[in-house]
Structures are given as structure tokens and as C-alpha cells.
Amino acid sequence: MTSASASDDFFQMEKRNWSTGFNDYDLGFGPLTRQAIPTLLAKADFPPSNKSDRGYPYTLLDVATGPGFVLSSAIADLALTSSPEDCESHPTYQLTGLDITENFLTMAKQRIGEQLAQQTNAQSSKINVQFVVGDAEKLSLKFPTNCIDSIICSFGILHLYNPDAFLSEAYRVLRPGGRLSFSAWAPPSRTEGFGITLQSVEEVGNMNVEGLPQGPDFFRFGDTKEAAETMQLIGFEDVQSVELSDMKWTNIKDGGMLYDTLLNGTVRTREILLGQTPEQSVAIQQLVKERYNALTNNGERSLAMPAVVTSGQKPLQ
């Protein structure tokens, strides 16, 4: 199989699953992934620390925007940090959400539209939001060089066939001095939800299901050293990679809910679970429930789900 064919197979798998799994991701993963957003925004310098009116908008690009959690938080932060003087004299903001899935973009548009409708006219008039169907690995098809101040990718890098291409594209479209931040899950030895499920598949099921497209290491950027070195090789400076060790999956209440969320609200894990025989599926579900109960003392504590946030700046020169 050629590299182009493998890449297309992977892309189509992602697009196909997200076209049906968007609601389950919103409900199942939303309360968890949102915990990383304050760090993502801060590391991308948004809202900008220097908000002087430079005559053109400050720009934020949310790559793999999904349900629009990052954009929603960015808008909320702008409202919190603005003052009456800001509404009269400070700059406007251009926020863009990019995703491959129309259903996610529709969900994000609704979320953001409702949020902006609750703001004052003066606040909302300073914020322009647009949504774009596009591929994170091909940002050059949508954005010119040196045009974006801040780029954020909240757990989207895990769903790219060539994440290095995305990082290079992000570097290109950032303005000099612009910042990128992205999040990824820590390895399954520390992310208990993934660990429980994948260990169960390995023990009573089959990890090598037929027809699963070739893809990169899902947990590659959960290694802080690997993530930082990759950013530095591309050319980013002031690179930081930190683990958010306090993240908890508070909305998952039992092993059955964990299994269903991973089955319906993911891509590669979903494909692995769907690829089991009926007997294997029953055995995996039972083992997930048993391991969840043993690990959490029958649900008395939440699953630990740490993430790694990596960030860097495009040099000024």
C-alpha cells in the first residue's frame, strides 16, 4: 500500500467515524477535554497579553474544533478580560474553527451562536467567528503564510495521519511571534480509561483487527520529551511540554459507561472494539467493568486522565 493510499484510508476512517460519533464525543469527552483548555489558551497567548489596537484583528485558529469548546472558552475569556474602554478602543478578534466534519461544525456554530447572542452588542461586535471545512495537514489550502496569531489544537493531533505535517503547516501560517499549543493524552499507563480498555482488549480480545488502517502512535505526543523535540526540529522556540496530572474523568460513572463512550465517541478505539467477535465483545465489556470497579473502588473515585500540553512560538525573525 502506498503512503498516499494509507493516508487516505486513515483520513476516511476518521471522517466516517466523526460523522456519527460527534454527539457521543460531546457528551462523553467534553467534560474531560475542557479541563485542558485554560492551559491551551494561556500557552497560545489568547486572549493576547498585549491588546493594543494594531489596526487589524487578532486571530485565533482552532484546529479540529469539534464541538467548539476552545472557541467557546476563548469568547468567554474575552468577555471576562474586556472593559467598557476595550469596547470603544481595543482591537477586534477573528476566531476560526476548522474541522473535517460538517456535523461537528454545525454543533460548534450552534454553541457559539447561542453564546454570542447572550453578550452585549458592544462585546459581540468585536468578535467575528467563522467555520471552515478543512484538513489540518493542509492548512495552506485555507490560509496564507504569516496570518494567524494563535493556533490551538485540542486533542486533534491524535487523529492525524501525519501530525508533523500539521505542525509544519501551523508554523507556516503563524505570524512571526505567533504561538501554537496542542494537547494529547498521556500514555495508557497513566490514563486509566484507556488503560483499562486497551488492557482488556489485549487480554481477551484482538488488538490487530482486520481492515484497521495504518496510523501513527496514538500516544506519541503524550511523551513530553518527544513532543518538545518535535516542535524544536520544526523551528519553534520557547517550547514547553507539561503534563496536566490533575485531570479526572468525572462524568464516567461505571465501566459500562466507559466502554460505551470509547465505542461511540472515538475513532481508532471504536474500530478496534467493533472488530471483535461477539464472544470477544462480551468478554471485553465484562473485564472493563471489573477493572473499573477494582480501580475506582466501585466508582468512589474518578478515573485519572492526564494530558500533555505542548506549546511554542514562531521566531520573530
Side-chain angles (χ1 to χ4, degrees), residues 182-241:
F182 65 89
S183 54
W185 296 116
S189 59
R190 298 199 296 282
T191 44
E192 293 176 336
F194 288 121
I196 287 172
T197 306
L198 296 178
Q199 289 167 15
S200 297
V201 174
E202 289 174 352
E203 185 169 327
V204 297
N206 174 26
M207 287 292 292
N208 300 310
V209 300
E210 185 178 355
L212 183 66
Q214 174 187 352
D217 179 3
F218 187 81
F219 296 101
R220 172 187 171 190
F221 293 101
D223 181 333
T224 55
K225 185 174 182 292
E226 167 69 16
E229 288 179 349
T230 301
M231 289 279 280
Q232 290 165 344
L233 285 172
I234 288 170
F236 285 96
E237 60 185 19
D238 187 28
V239 173
Q240 303 171 39
S241 191

Side-chain angles (χ1 to χ4, degrees), residues 27 35 106 131 139 142 155 157 204-205 212 257 290 308:
L27 297 173
Q35 296 171 41
T106 298
F131 295 93
L139 295 179
K142 302 291 181 179
F155 298 98
I157 200 166
V204 297
L212 183 66
M257 187 177 181
E290 292 174 0
V308 170

Side-chain angles (χ1 to χ4, degrees), residues 2-208:
T2 66
S3 177
S5 177
S7 174
D8 185 64
D9 288 346
F10 186 88
F11 180 87
Q12 293 303 323
M13 175 187 69
E14 290 283 336
K15 188 173 183 179
R16 180 180 66 254
N17 279 282
W18 287 132
S19 68
T20 58
F22 58 99
N23 275 318
D24 292 283
Y25 181 86
D26 182 32
L27 297 173
F29 278 92
L32 174 61
T33 61
R34 289 183 196 185
Q35 296 171 41
I37 292 177
T39 303
L40 285 166
L41 286 167
K43 295 297 185 181
D45 191 30
F46 197 92
S49 51
N50 177 14
K51 293 193 293 183
S52 59
D53 189 350
R54 60 187 186 181
Y56 53 93
Y58 283 90
T59 51
L60 168 66
L61 172 61
D62 180 25
V63 174
T65 191
F69 297 141
V70 168
L71 295 180
S72 179
S73 295
I75 291 168
D77 284 357
L78 287 173
L80 287 173
T81 59
S82 67
S83 65
E85 292 76 17
D86 290 337
C87 294
E88 295 177 4
S89 62
H90 276 207
T92 56
Y93 300 91
Q94 173 65 56
L95 278 57
T96 302
L98 179 141
D99 207 282
I100 62 171
T101 307
E102 290 276 9
N103 288 338
F104 262 144
L105 292 176
T106 298
M107 178 182 287
K109 288 176 186 177
Q110 181 176 352
R111 174 173 275 118
I112 300 306
E114 292 173 353
Q115 183 177 5
L116 289 175
Q118 296 174 4
Q119 294 191 342
T120 66
N121 289 335
Q123 288 176 325
S124 60
S125 67
K126 293 290 183 178
I127 302 172
N128 181 57
V129 184
Q130 66 175 353
F131 295 93
V132 177
V133 177
D135 184 348
E137 298 175 35
K138 300 175 182 177
L139 295 179
S140 58
L141 298 179
K142 302 291 181 179
F143 306 97
T145 302
N146 301 333
C147 70
I148 306 292
D149 295 296
S150 302
I151 298 177
I152 293 176
C153 186
S154 175
F155 298 98
I157 200 166
L158 312 170
H159 300 282
L160 305 178
Y161 182 79
N162 186 356
D164 296 70
F166 156 64
L167 296 175
S168 296
E169 285 283 271
Y171 184 90
R172 186 189 62 78
V173 303
L174 280 170
R175 289 192 174 103
R179 296 193 63 87
L180 163 70
S181 66
F182 65 89
S183 54
W185 296 116
S189 59
R190 298 199 296 282
T191 44
E192 293 176 336
F194 288 121
I196 287 172
T197 306
L198 296 178
Q199 289 167 15
S200 297
V201 174
E202 289 174 352
E203 185 169 327
V204 297
N206 174 26
M207 287 292 292
N208 300 310

